[in-house]
Amino acid sequence: PINSGRVANMEDNDMREILFDILDAETSKEKIEKMRFYRDELDERTLGNIAAAFDVSGDCQSDDELFEQIVQDLTIKARYETDRLR
């Protein structure tokens, strides 16, 4: 197939946009919301990249476990974030 490289490239670009959208969220709460919004589109590689960026242990047995671990870690971080000025 001649276009298979182009399709894969488009998918990589889509995943990259999703990754940066999640990483660029300002608060942990926003990151969780974006993670849940994109849940069905997140592949193993993207979840691994998100886990690495958020310093989450990636020793999970499945994508679902890794997703839940990332959300759990972000939930803990969100508890300690504040909107107040320091």
Side-chain angles (χ1 to χ4, degrees), residues 28-64:
S28 293
K29 185 177 178 180
E30 288 176 32
K31 288 177 171 84
I32 293 167
E33 290 169 2
K34 288 181 183 283
M35 289 277 299
R36 289 188 172 136
F37 179 79
Y38 291 120
R39 176 61 188 114
D40 292 336
E41 299 172 55
L42 296 172
D43 61 12
E44 180 180 359
R45 186 171 115 200
T46 305
L47 282 169
N49 288 335
I50 292 168
F54 295 156
D55 201 26
V56 174
S57 172
D59 60 349
C60 298
Q61 300 297 318
S62 70
D63 292 350
D64 289 334

